[in-house]
Amino acid sequence: MAKRKAENRSFLDKWEAEYLFTYVKDKPVCLVCGVNVAVSKEYNIRRHYETKHHDKYKDLDMTQRSQKVEEMKISLVSQQNMFKKATSQSEAAVKASYIVAAEIAKSARPFNEGEFMKKCMMKVCDLICPEKKQAFSNVSLSRNTVADRTCDLATNLYDQLMEKGKDFVAFSLAVDESCDASDTAQLSVCIRGVDSNLCVTVELLGFKSMHGTTTGKEIFEEVSKCVTEIKLPWDKLVGLTTDGAPAMCGKKSGLVGMVREKMREENCAGELTVYHCIIHQEALCAKALKMEHVMTTVTQVVNFIRAKGLNHRQFKSFLEEGGSEYADVPYHTEVRWLSRGKVLNRCFELREEICQFLETKGKDTAELREQKFLCELAFLCDISSHLDALNLQLQGRGRIITDMYAAVRAFKTKLCLWENQMLQGNPCHVPCCQSIKAQISTAVFPCAQFAEKLSVLAAEFSRRFADFDAQKCKFELLSNPFAVDVENAPTNIQMELIELQCNDTLKSKYDAVGAAQFPRFIPDTMPQLRTQAAQMLSMFGSTYLCEQLFSSMKMTKTTHRRRLTDEHLRSILRISSAQSLSPDIDELASKKRCQVSGLGTSD
């Protein structure tokens, strides 16, 4: 006779017909009333049957009882399936609300957009699948629900980051500060961590609202809280990248000085490597050209055209009537990295149309038509275009510091080439200068003056990127370890470096996957090289991710959403910036029950 064992007791199949019981999930269940019996003993099952159901079923013979049992078992399965379906629909409704809340956060839309989306969903449902209307109605998307879901999603991402942080062998921080629409200082702290498998995680560590002053001490306290709360050891911090502000870079009272002091207190063996954001430095290098007078004139012309609606409309009509390739001139915005080059290029291309339009307005265009000014405009236009191209190379979330340094070195080499070519009167890589030089006398074009400016710009690049040049040997260990001179390498990795360079299999793997992916293939028998690679991979070359967060912040906390709380702003930005991590919606939904909300009501 078949038996099922549970808790060291046996449920006999014959009890199904005798007592109208079945066995479900290790428990005897009455087929008549659905009651569970705690202990699988015949005495307990018989007592329940005789006291509750004996009188009703005593006249049935065994055949009738067996038939009745089968009918009851089918009914029980049907009930269970119905409950499972209801539970499944409820979980699906909760998951849907989390998915919509995540999309609202990523698109920087207000929380009450959920109510609008639900109205749209219900109208679509009425037309396409009216039989599913109740399922759509169960999805709760009220303002309060979306706000709560957003916080849940952000908390889940933070918990995942904390769990990942346990495996970090090295990490670096990027720190920057900006003000939101309500003039509250917001401190962005981003982390770039590398685990034991040399996989890189780049995420927002903390976004702190600072309602008072923003001194180096206060910034350090907030950064220290971020590191402590996620339970990261200070001895694994290898790099710190800032925007270069005094409160950040101060060696005593700034963030850098205080972080170093904290690491000394924690008896950290490693040395903290500090960088001023490469992209900021590149933008500051351009100021060495000292050609603000050209930019000022261009800005004044653009402002005259665009500041008044009538002038702007007439200028666009003027361009359209003349069959111009361009339809307008853009505004110059100092805080936008690529704005300068775009404005200069457009004004250079439309220089003749601009002069003609200004003359119709009675403006003096003598300065704009001077050969000296046109030469300077062309030179500044070309150099700004090259600087913008470099800027774009340096941008990006996943950029490795060695690649960024290589781009800067390449640009410095280009500057030397352009300087020599300019001295020879052959500006072949500066097209605007070529265009102007062809229109005016070669003797008038100031080749020597522009060559001097290129020399000054190259010297400024060398000065500002001296801290990166000091790390050149370490960068080469990551970018091309097979070309590094072993004698110049740190003594603790020299033996492993020799083994690496003599390994043809690893050399083939390096050629196949490239420098960025190769460190993962360094064997465990070379721990010093793996540690060195982890430290380099964890370095932030710029505060690009912080700047990207501030752009998202501007779109999220607008003048119409100034009352957005610090917690909600932080949650939205954590969700919208997450790339290495994604929220575990299944886990979150399992902890919630479905709450049906109306179209215009709150939960």
Side-chain angles (χ1 to χ4, degrees):
M1 184 177 293
K3 296 182 180 181
R4 303 180 185 88
K5 295 185 178 181
E7 300 180 1
N8 298 322
R9 298 183 183 278
S10 303
F11 181 87
L12 306 183
D13 282 348
K14 69 177 184 177
W15 295 347
E16 288 187 347
E18 289 181 6
Y19 307 123
L20 304 181
F21 263 76
T22 189
Y23 204 66
V24 179
K25 293 183 178 180
D26 299 334
K27 288 184 179 180
V29 179
C30 177
L31 288 168
V32 181
C33 61
V35 171
N36 297 333
V37 175
V39 181
S40 184
K41 291 174 62 177
E42 184 176 9
Y43 170 79
N44 296 342
I45 294 172
R46 184 175 66 246
R47 184 179 63 178
H48 174 86
Y49 170 75
E50 290 177 350
T51 57
K52 302 286 185 180
H53 311 301
H54 178 265
D55 293 340
K56 184 176 180 179
Y57 296 100
K58 64 182 180 180
D59 296 330
L60 298 178
D61 58 27
M62 288 306 295
T63 302
Q64 291 172 324
R65 280 176 172 273
S66 297
Q67 185 178 355
K68 192 67 177 176
V69 166
E70 292 302 319
E71 292 175 358
M72 289 180 172
K73 287 170 73 174
I74 292 172
S75 177
L76 177 63
V77 170
S78 177
Q79 291 177 8
Q80 290 174 336
N81 289 337
M82 182 183 67
F83 287 125
K84 287 180 181 178
K85 183 178 180 182
T87 302
S88 175
Q89 289 179 344
S90 175
E91 288 182 359
V94 175
K95 286 181 183 178
S97 70
Y98 272 113
I99 291 170
V100 173
E103 292 303 317
I104 289 174
K106 290 176 184 178
S107 61
R109 296 182 180 277
F111 295 140
N112 57 14
E113 285 285 302
E115 297 169 356
F116 170 73
M117 292 179 70
K118 186 167 183 177
K119 288 180 181 179
C120 296
M121 285 164 48
M122 297 305 295
K123 291 184 181 294
V124 171
C125 180
D126 287 340
L127 289 174
I128 297 178
C129 49
E131 71 280 1
K132 299 287 186 180
K133 186 171 183 178
Q134 186 58 47
F136 280 87
S137 179
N138 288 342
V139 180
S140 183
L141 293 175
S142 69
R143 182 189 183 283
N144 290 343
T145 298
V146 173
D148 290 342
R149 297 284 193 262
T150 301
C151 292
D152 291 343
L153 290 164
T155 301
N156 181 264
L157 287 171
Y158 182 80
D159 291 342
Q160 290 184 48
L161 180 61
M162 183 180 292
E163 189 64 28
K164 271 207 165 192
K166 294 177 181 178
D167 194 33
F168 286 167
V169 295
F171 72 94
S172 294
L173 301 176
V175 184
D176 202 352
E177 178 262 329
S178 185
C179 289
D180 62 22
S182 61
D183 290 330
T184 301
Q186 301 288 356
L187 184 70
S188 173
V189 184
C190 298
I191 186 170
R192 185 181 178 95
V194 180
D195 61 22
S196 54
N197 295 320
L198 298 183
C199 294
V200 181
T201 300
V202 185
E203 291 293 338
L204 172 65
L205 178 60
F207 199 82
K208 302 291 187 177
S209 300
M210 304 180 70
H211 296 277
T213 56
T214 56
T215 63
K217 180 181 179 182
E218 289 160 330
I219 292 174
F220 166 73
E221 289 173 353
E222 295 296 341
V223 172
S224 181
K225 283 181 187 177
C226 290
V227 175
T228 304
E229 287 171 0
I230 204 170
K231 299 178 181 178
L232 288 170
W234 286 93
D235 61 348
K236 292 183 180 179
L237 176 62
V238 297
L240 176 62
T241 304
T242 70
D243 62 352
M248 298 283 188
C249 296
K251 294 182 179 179
K252 290 185 178 180
S253 58
L255 172 65
V256 170
M258 292 187 174
V259 169
R260 281 179 167 152
E261 181 61 30
K262 176 69 174 178
M263 293 180 71
R264 281 194 289 270
E265 292 175 2
E266 297 287 333
N267 296 318
C268 300
E271 178 66 25
L272 179 69
T273 303
V274 178
Y275 293 118
H276 180 182
C277 170
I278 288 181
I279 302 178
H280 284 185
Q281 300 243 55
E282 183 263 356
L284 291 172
C285 285
K287 297 183 181 297
L289 293 172
K290 295 184 179 179
M291 299 185 73
E292 289 80 6
H293 60 287
V294 178
M295 198 66 219
T296 300
T297 302
V298 170
T299 303
Q300 288 173 350
V301 169
V302 172
N303 288 346
F304 174 79
I305 293 173
R306 297 208 49 164
K308 292 185 179 180
L310 177 60
N311 286 351
H312 192 199
R313 291 193 300 272
Q314 290 176 339
F315 181 71
K316 290 196 291 184
S317 298
F318 180 80
L319 292 178
E320 185 178 354
E321 291 169 3
S324 173
E325 180 183 351
Y326 304 101
D328 203 356
V329 289
Y331 264 127
H332 173 233
T333 308
E334 189 68 34
V335 295
R336 293 188 180 275
W337 288 327
L338 306 181
S339 170
R340 180 189 181 99
K342 289 179 179 179
V343 173
L344 286 168
N345 267 290
R346 187 63 56 84
C347 287
F348 181 80
E349 294 294 334
L350 293 174
R351 60 189 183 278
E352 187 60 36
E353 289 88 341
I354 288 173
C355 287
Q356 291 175 9
F357 177 76
L358 292 178
E359 286 168 355
T360 64
K361 291 292 182 178
K363 293 291 183 179
D364 182 16
T365 61
E367 182 183 1
L368 298 178
R369 293 185 181 278
E370 284 182 1
Q371 291 184 346
K372 179 183 177 183
F373 176 81
L374 289 174
C375 292
E376 290 178 336
L377 175 62
F379 177 75
L380 186 59
C381 181
D382 283 327
I383 297 305
S384 296
S385 296
H386 286 300
L387 286 168
D388 287 351
L390 173 61
N391 192 295
L392 286 171
Q393 278 186 279
L394 299 176
Q395 290 184 38
R397 184 189 184 105
R399 299 292 291 170
I400 301 174
I401 193 169
T402 53
D403 292 343
M404 299 175 77
Y405 175 66
V408 171
R409 287 178 60 201
F411 190 79
K412 288 162 64 176
T413 305
K414 291 176 184 177
L415 286 174
C416 294
L417 174 66
W418 299 335
E419 179 188 353
N420 293 331
Q421 290 177 338
M422 191 66 74
L423 286 172
Q424 296 168 9
N426 179 30
C428 55
H429 294 291
V430 279
C432 293
C433 288
Q434 277 186 310
S435 174
I436 289 296
K437 190 169 180 287
Q439 296 175 17
I440 65 176
S441 170
T442 304
V444 176
F445 191 81
C447 290
Q449 177 187 340
F450 292 157
E452 178 63 25
K453 288 189 176 297
L454 288 170
S455 176
V456 170
L457 184 60
E460 184 68 6
F461 264 84
S462 297
R463 184 182 71 84
R464 287 195 170 274
F465 291 100
D467 51 346
F468 288 90
D469 292 333
Q471 301 290 327
K472 182 180 177 180
C473 182
K474 290 183 178 180
F475 291 159
E476 288 177 347
L477 283 169
L478 179 64
S479 60
N480 191 1
F482 294 93
V484 173
D485 185 352
V486 175
E487 292 186 2
N488 294 330
T491 55
N492 63 319
I493 66 171
Q494 286 178 340
M495 297 298 101
E496 294 180 6
L497 188 58
I498 291 173
E499 293 178 14
L500 177 75
Q501 293 180 349
C502 294
N503 191 313
D504 293 336
T505 303
L506 291 176
K507 181 66 170 67
S508 299
K509 180 62 70 175
Y510 173 84
D511 294 335
V513 301
Q517 300 297 325
F518 175 70
R520 299 182 187 180
F521 299 96
I522 299 175
D524 293 336
T525 54
M526 302 177 182
Q528 295 297 331
L529 279 177
R530 288 181 65 87
T531 300
Q532 181 71 33
Q535 291 177 352
M536 285 294 102
L537 285 171
S538 72
M539 293 286 188
F540 273 109
S542 73
T543 57
Y544 174 83
L545 183 55
C546 297
E547 298 288 353
Q548 197 176 44
L549 280 165
F550 292 141
S551 295
S552 299
M553 177 188 74
K554 298 290 185 183
M555 291 189 292
T556 302
K557 191 171 182 179
T558 62
T559 53
H560 301 292
R561 296 184 74 188
R562 288 184 178 180
R563 295 175 63 188
L564 190 69
T565 65
D566 295 339
E567 180 187 5
H568 285 153
L569 176 62
R570 182 165 52 250
S571 298
I572 290 169
L573 293 178
R574 187 176 294 282
I575 295 168
S576 62
S577 66
Q579 284 193 3
S580 305
L581 307 174
S582 57
D584 190 342
I585 292 178
D586 290 337
E587 179 187 348
L588 291 170
S590 67
K591 299 176 182 177
K592 296 281 184 180
R593 65 183 180 87
C594 179
Q595 294 179 321
V596 182
S597 65
L599 292 178
T601 60
S602 299
D603 288 357

